[in-house]
Amino acid sequence: MAKSKPTINDFRKRAGQLVDIDDMHPLPLPPPFDKPGSEPQIKPLPEDGRRKIETDLDGVSAVRFARPETVDQKRELVGKFFSGLAKLFDPRSNWTFLEPLFLTMEYCVRCQTCSAACPIFIESGKQEIYRPSFRAEILRRLYRKYVKRGRTLPDNLTEKEIDAAWTMIARLMESSYRCTICRRCAQACPIGADNGLVTRELRKIFSQEMGIAPRALHQDGSVQQLEIGSSTGMPPAAFRDNVSFLEDEVADRTGMQFHWPIDKQGAEILLIHNAGEYLAWPENPMAFAIILEKAGIDYTLSSELAAYDAVNYGVWYDDIQFARVAVRHAEIARRLGVKKIVIGECGHAHKALMVIADRILTGDLNIPRESYLTLLRDIVLSSRLPLDPSRNDDITVTLHDPCNMVRLMGIVQPQREILKAVCNNFREMTPHGVDNFCCGGGSGFAIMQDGNFPDWRHVVSSRAKMRQILNVFQDIIGPEHKKYVCAPCSNCKGAIRDMFAAYRLFETSNILYGGLVELIVNAMTDIEKPFIDWQWH
Amino acid sequence: MSLLQLTTYIAAVFFLVVVILKTVKIARMPVHLRWDLYPIPHEKGKAAYGGSYFENSSWWEKPRLVSRAGELREMVVEIFSLRGVFRNNRSLWWFSYPFHIGLYCLVALIVSLKIPVVLHWTGMPVGGQAPGFLSLALQYAAHAFAAAGWTLTLIGGLGLLAMRLFKRDLRSYSRPGDYINLILLIAVSGAGFIAWVTVDRDSHHLRDLAHSLISFLPAPTTTPAATACLVWLTDILLLYFPFTHMTHFIGKFFTYHKVRWEDTPNRPGSLIEKKIQQAADNPVGWSAPHIDPLSTWTEASGGGKVPDGEK
Ligand code: SF4
Ligand code: SF4
């Protein structure tokens, strides 16, 4: 039987799983997914799994945190959570985000204007627990009681009280991974409060104080990047092997033979790709290499630890890991003596290094940093490449705006200028630009592949993007038309790839996704064969 | 000094002091990492579509084009139309809008009542005793502000209270304080409305009181009970107001100007750089296994050292 809609108080008081997956009724999708049973479902975790890991929010597990078995374990976790809460409002421990967090805690007027802007809340059929202000209000109540009024947690909590406190904290932990930090809600808020920021600040308590974060973000993510060289697990030697393999691949596909510059001292530009591109979408770094070679750009890649991987997962959950990776990137650029760092097709890497790290990098680490979009826009519009947009005429292209580059950085036009120069059949999604919807993979979701979390992503967090894609191509939705979603960001591509696979969108509707640079090379007249390989991969 | 004057002085001074302290507290918070949100209205030539200087190649070599006029325009539009609420929460806007416009009118009413006194000090004969063009204009303005102010605030306040009580998504997030705020504001605007309709159509009692307050003269002896009641309720509001989120006009200044629209790049040798360096000297404090709580932020971030790794 369906439970009543949970309220803020239920978050602390109601036992067991707060929301059942079966009680979620996401908004219906347009054709061809308008018939019952035509879209994927969220599979419940096996009973055994639910017993072992924390799933008391909604039966989905993003963090996969093992349920503590004893009351002492719970007591310790509860204690750590509250010490983390205090540090979140300490001007030394959290100088990085104290002011915006404080403003959000103090000045939200609980008007719910942000709710209509949140794709997760709306698409889930208005699940209360996904409302932007829901988790913020829980943090606000804790802040008012324990930080503002200075109450401390009593030492002599009973077992029942400890249980209740831990249940609330465990739900809060999972809840902080039900928001993509796309900040559409903040954009809509008349006060300027930021519930997306609250999500990230909550994740910080769990990571920075309690050592809890999804494996994909921490151990396999930022830790691996700093220690092995890349969150993909690719060490420097494998990176160099990959590059040499791709050099051969470029020669095979285009007849162009040249070496990609690596560790070139004094080059003008250090170009850093998201290393996932080398493994999952190698045509992307290949296209970059072709364009830069043809345009005669003086650049280099780096094979130093972390510097061949632009990602910085700390941006989603941990300020210290964030600072470590940002400083590493800058230090390697400094040692190479480059004039600037250019970031490849990766949205969060853009925001990390160009915007947020702007207040981390000082002195000679403050090396100028630029988006690949401006560099490529200048190249494309300068006629340095032989381009014929009609070479892309068999494809209808739409553009996905990665939140990080657009709403959070204001890079809106360069990608459109490029697209208009390289393809004739371009159409915008609604809404687009700074009002876009997240791909559903934001804030690390795209790489979190455990348990039933990807199902939740396909059904809930990617749903608004799915709807936009179906709508923009609705008049040519049949498989006889080739359609391309240009997603100039590795994480967005990952989320869109998984979503397309789950909905079998390529097979049923002939919609492919890919980057921007591939479209540029596809339009180059001196490359004989089409560069875009129209196959599912 | 009458009791009415005394309570009003205390409430006004208290209100000002707390509001200033709150503002100073936020202004003195440490520098934070950038957290821009677009569109940013001061991005010259780009604000309309949400663009930024990051759209320019080698942006750091080019002059930054900042349009303060664009920022001001955005603020004026937002303040006087509540565009954000209009676009994203239309049902609330129907009450929030008259409520806010009513409040602006009441502020304007207070100003229009005090201007004659201030001008009188400067030697300009504009008081009620010496009617001239300016005096008449101010009187008519006060009429209009009083009529609009009391009516709109009352209607808006009642509507907002009803929405908070009956709309589930508002009710379940509301705390007692949210209701107290509205009830107090409704009480003040209701008292104002009644005083205006019954005994003070031309706001002359309020004007006389304002005159006595800013001139430190004895209070008029003829203040009617309805007006006195209005003033006392306002005093209570002034004492209570700074401790509620009703001071969101302060918060909004910072959320917009110091967070969302704060896109000043950190240039070498700048004040921002100095502040960052100071903040990075703080101990990290966090104690998860991957962090040494005693290390400074600079040390914790690796301080620029790069391990050799596998070559
Ligand atoms: S975050 Fe903003 S929009 Fe959302 S409830 Fe609070 S004040 Fe209203
Ligand atoms: S940041 Fe995005 S996903 Fe998160 S609550 Fe706000 S609108 Fe929803």
Side-chain angles (χ1 to χ4, degrees):
Chain A
M1 197 182 70
K3 291 178 191 166
S4 63
K5 277 191 171 190
T7 62
I8 293 265
N9 291 336
D10 293 331
F11 200 80
R12 192 165 48 90
K13 290 186 180 150
R14 199 187 274 182
Q17 195 177 306
L18 207 53
V19 171
D20 282 336
I21 291 169
D22 292 345
D23 293 341
M24 283 193 207
H25 301 291
L27 291 192
L29 284 171
F33 301 103
D34 51 341
K35 293 168 206 75
S38 58
E39 59 165 299
Q41 304 292 315
I42 306 174
K43 288 183 279 303
L45 287 172
E47 185 59 41
D48 186 41
R50 270 184 286 166
R51 250 201 328 271
K52 286 189 185 144
I53 54 174
E54 291 293 351
T55 53
D56 282 352
L57 179 70
D58 53 4
V60 176
S61 173
V63 183
R64 297 191 76 71
F65 189 72
R67 287 184 194 270
E69 284 165 8
T70 65
V71 71
D72 286 340
Q73 285 172 341
K74 287 182 190 170
R75 195 184 295 278
E76 192 187 336
L77 285 163
V78 170
K80 277 191 183 164
F81 175 84
F82 280 93
S83 77
L85 180 70
K87 288 174 192 175
L88 208 58
F89 292 92
D90 180 320
R92 289 170 309 163
S93 310
N94 199 25
W95 62 271
T96 46
F97 285 99
L98 178 64
E99 184 173 345
L101 176 66
F102 173 84
L103 292 168
T104 297
M105 289 294 102
E106 286 287 327
Y107 293 109
C108 166
V109 294
R110 292 172 285 283
C111 65
Q112 307 306 351
T113 304
C114 49
S115 303
C118 173
I120 292 185
F121 174 63
I122 296 296
E123 293 287 343
S124 69
K126 300 193 177 173
Q127 275 298 327
E128 202 57 33
I129 54 166
Y130 303 151
R131 190 188 281 280
S133 55
F134 189 91
R135 69 181 73 75
E137 189 56 25
I138 290 162
L139 180 64
R140 188 171 294 111
R141 289 180 184 194
L142 293 169
Y143 157 75
R144 289 170 67 90
K145 188 165 170 186
Y146 294 100
V147 181
K148 220 173 156 185
R149 296 199 195 115
R151 291 247 213 110
T152 49
L153 208 60
D155 290 335
N156 56 351
L157 289 181
T158 63
E159 194 171 332
K160 208 168 150 214
E161 286 166 334
I162 286 285
D163 252 346
W166 169 247
T167 301
M168 182 209 52
I169 292 167
R171 283 176 179 154
L172 208 45
M173 168 186 75
E174 276 298 326
S175 164
S176 71
Y177 289 92
R178 298 295 183 279
C179 156
T180 60
I181 319 186
C182 73
R183 296 179 68 209
R184 258 188 134 249
C185 53
Q187 200 184 36
C189 173
I191 304 294
D194 192 334
N195 292 323
L197 175 84
V198 169
T199 298
R200 186 173 182 275
E201 295 300 290
L202 277 169
R203 292 182 186 185
K204 277 163 53 179
I205 300 185
F206 290 102
S207 177
Q208 295 177 189
E209 190 67 6
M210 304 170 76
I212 301 172
R215 215 188 145 77
L217 303 193
H218 189 65
Q219 289 97 325
D220 296 348
S222 59
V223 171
Q224 190 161 230
Q225 183 182 15
L226 289 163
E227 288 174 2
I228 300 194
S230 162
S231 58
T232 59
M234 174 169 58
F239 164 71
R240 281 190 294 271
D241 284 351
N242 258 313
V243 167
S244 113
F245 169 78
L246 293 181
E247 285 171 349
D248 294 343
E249 191 69 16
V250 168
D252 281 355
R253 284 170 75 159
T254 67
M256 289 173 67
Q257 266 179 340
F258 59 94
H259 283 301
W260 300 13
I262 299 182
D263 300 328
K264 181 180 159 195
Q265 199 67 33
E268 171 105 4
I269 292 169
L270 167 63
L271 172 67
I272 318 183
H273 292 298
N274 177 319
E277 301 282 359
Y278 294 104
L279 304 176
W281 302 284
E283 60 282 2
N284 185 279
M286 280 161 44
F288 262 99
I290 293 166
I291 294 166
L292 299 180
E293 177 72 12
K294 288 264 182 196
I297 301 293
D298 176 22
Y299 79 102
T300 185
L301 304 169
S302 166
S303 69
E304 294 253 24
L305 279 184
Y308 50 89
D309 195 351
V311 306
N312 188 341
Y313 294 171
V315 88
W316 299 320
Y317 76 101
D318 190 304
D319 285 347
I320 290 101
Q321 291 296 87
F322 168 77
R324 285 173 179 161
V325 173
V327 166
R328 183 78 65 82
H329 283 147
E331 170 58 14
I332 288 161
R334 188 186 68 78
R335 289 207 317 222
L336 279 169
V338 296
K339 293 208 176 61
K340 60 182 169 187
I341 302 173
V342 169
I343 300 138
E345 288 197 4
C346 179
H348 87 274
H350 270 69
K351 188 182 67 176
L353 207 52
M354 289 175 66
V355 180
I356 305 185
D358 194 44
R359 302 261 167 100
I360 293 275
L361 304 173
T362 56
D364 57 2
L365 287 180
N366 191 357
I367 294 160
R369 302 166 305 275
E370 185 175 329
S371 168
Y372 80 100
L373 283 168
T374 41
L375 176 70
L376 293 198
R377 187 257 328 266
D378 291 358
I379 292 173
V380 165
L381 300 187
S382 70
S383 317
R384 269 183 278 175
L385 304 177
L387 293 168
D388 175 4
S390 69
R391 286 174 63 104
N392 281 321
D393 271 0
D394 59 332
I395 317 171
T396 304
V397 178
T398 191
L399 174 68
H400 161 65
D401 281 307
C403 303
N404 285 305
M405 289 174 189
V406 180
R407 181 164 37 256
L408 310 183
M409 287 186 74
I411 305 180
V412 185
Q413 286 303 342
Q415 55 274 49
R416 290 175 164 77
E417 291 171 62
I418 295 171
L419 273 175
K420 283 171 189 160
V422 300
C423 50
N424 295 318
N425 301 326
F426 167 58
R427 42 172 86 175
E428 291 276 17
M429 294 187 202
T430 309
H432 59 264
V434 290
D435 298 324
N436 76 317
F437 285 121
C438 172
C439 62
S443 81
F445 287 6
I447 53 164
M448 289 159 53
Q449 303 286 21
D450 286 329
N452 59 356
F453 187 73
D455 294 345
W456 180 85
R457 172 158 41 92
H458 304 143
V459 174
V460 181
S461 70
S462 288
R463 197 175 190 84
K465 185 56 45 180
M466 181 73 182
R467 178 184 310 286
Q468 280 191 292
I469 292 172
L470 292 173
N471 281 340
V472 75
F473 291 138
Q474 201 50 229
D475 59 322
I476 49 168
I477 200 72
E480 62 284 9
H481 298 281
K482 285 166 129 186
K483 298 161 289 270
Y484 186 89
V485 177
C486 172
C489 163
S490 307
N491 275 288
C492 301
K493 274 193 302 201
I496 291 173
R497 172 196 59 202
D498 294 355
M499 168 173 81
F500 278 21
Y503 287 82
R504 302 189 69 249
L505 213 52
F506 181 71
E507 292 86 341
T508 58
S509 302
N510 204 9
I511 310 179
L512 200 60
Y513 72 96
L516 177 60
V517 281
E518 294 90 319
L519 281 169
I520 301 176
V521 177
N522 212 44
M524 284 168 63
T525 52
D526 54 353
I527 290 178
E528 222 173 281
K529 284 189 278 178
F531 186 75
I532 293 178
D533 182 14
W534 200 262
Q535 286 185 50
W536 179 251
H537 48 270
Chain B
M1 186 184 294
S2 73
L3 186 61
L4 199 61
Q5 279 178 312
L6 182 69
T7 53
T8 306
Y9 281 132
I10 292 173
V13 170
F14 183 84
F15 172 82
L16 276 176
V17 169
V18 180
V19 164
I20 289 169
L21 287 177
K22 277 192 130 178
T23 311
V24 170
K25 178 181 172 180
I26 304 171
R28 290 174 60 124
M29 282 191 169
V31 62
H32 59 85
L33 303 189
R34 268 178 69 175
W35 199 241
D36 320 5
L37 188 60
Y38 292 80
I40 293 183
H42 62 230
E43 292 289 345
K44 203 168 189 173
K46 295 175 182 287
Y49 63 85
S52 75
Y53 58 80
F54 290 130
E55 289 189 328
N56 305 329
S57 43
S58 300
W59 56 265
W60 55 93
E61 290 171 357
K62 301 184 174 136
R64 225 181 125 215
L65 301 176
V66 172
S67 164
R68 290 295 162 213
E71 203 170 285
L72 198 67
R73 200 178 317 120
E74 175 68 22
M75 285 162 62
V76 169
V77 170
E78 173 59 28
I79 290 170
F80 289 103
S81 72
L82 305 192
R83 192 172 53 187
V85 183
F86 181 79
R87 283 185 184 154
N88 298 294
N89 199 351
R90 191 69 55 89
S91 61
L92 191 76
W93 184 86
W94 291 113
F95 293 112
S96 187
Y97 186 66
F99 181 72
H100 282 88
I101 295 295
L103 288 178
Y104 305 155
C105 288
L106 293 182
V107 172
L109 170 67
I110 295 170
V111 173
S112 66
L113 294 180
K114 292 190 174 175
I115 287 176
V117 186
V118 174
L119 291 182
H120 186 70
W121 287 345
T122 64
M124 286 182 72
V126 290
Q129 300 83 356
F133 171 73
L134 190 54
S135 174
L136 275 178
L138 284 168
Q139 277 179 25
Y140 282 124
H143 274 312
F145 290 138
W150 299 125
T151 315
L152 291 176
T153 320
L154 187 59
I155 292 172
L158 287 168
L160 288 175
L161 182 65
M163 287 191 83
R164 247 189 217 286
L165 285 168
F166 300 117
K167 267 196 91 185
R168 188 183 188 272
D169 60 348
L170 290 176
R171 187 180 62 233
S172 58
Y173 288 79
S174 298
R175 286 196 300 256
D178 297 324
Y179 295 107
I180 298 173
N181 293 350
L182 280 171
I183 290 168
L184 206 49
L185 279 160
I186 291 166
V188 171
S189 50
F193 185 80
I194 292 167
W196 173 65
V197 171
T198 56
V199 293
D200 203 11
R201 263 305 169 88
D202 58 358
S203 303
H204 78 272
H205 288 300
L206 276 183
R207 185 182 299 111
D208 291 347
L209 198 65
H211 187 187
S212 77
L213 283 169
I214 61 171
S215 318
F216 300 100
L217 294 170
T221 50
T222 53
T223 306
T227 305
C229 180
L230 161 67
V231 174
W232 270 319
L233 279 169
T234 308
D235 292 346
I236 294 172
L237 182 71
L238 286 176
L239 291 170
Y240 173 73
F241 193 93
F243 300 105
T244 67
H245 63 57
M246 286 189 289
T247 49
H248 58 248
F249 60 90
I250 309 174
K252 195 163 173 168
F253 172 83
F254 287 98
T255 54
Y256 277 75
H257 294 271
K258 297 293 168 198
V259 183
R260 290 173 69 146
W261 298 350
E262 169 51 308
D263 61 347
T264 317
N266 164 26
R267 309 255 188 203
S270 64
L271 184 64
I272 293 180
E273 182 176 71
K274 216 176 326 44
K275 286 185 182 173
I276 298 165
Q277 284 163 338
Q278 275 168 5
D281 280 342
N282 282 313
V284 173
W286 297 90
S287 37
H290 64 285
I291 303 167
D292 169 7
L294 298 179
S295 62
T296 65
W297 281 87
T298 308
E299 290 160 354
S301 60
K305 287 191 285 296
V306 181
D308 276 345
E310 177 212 343
K311 273 288 202 174

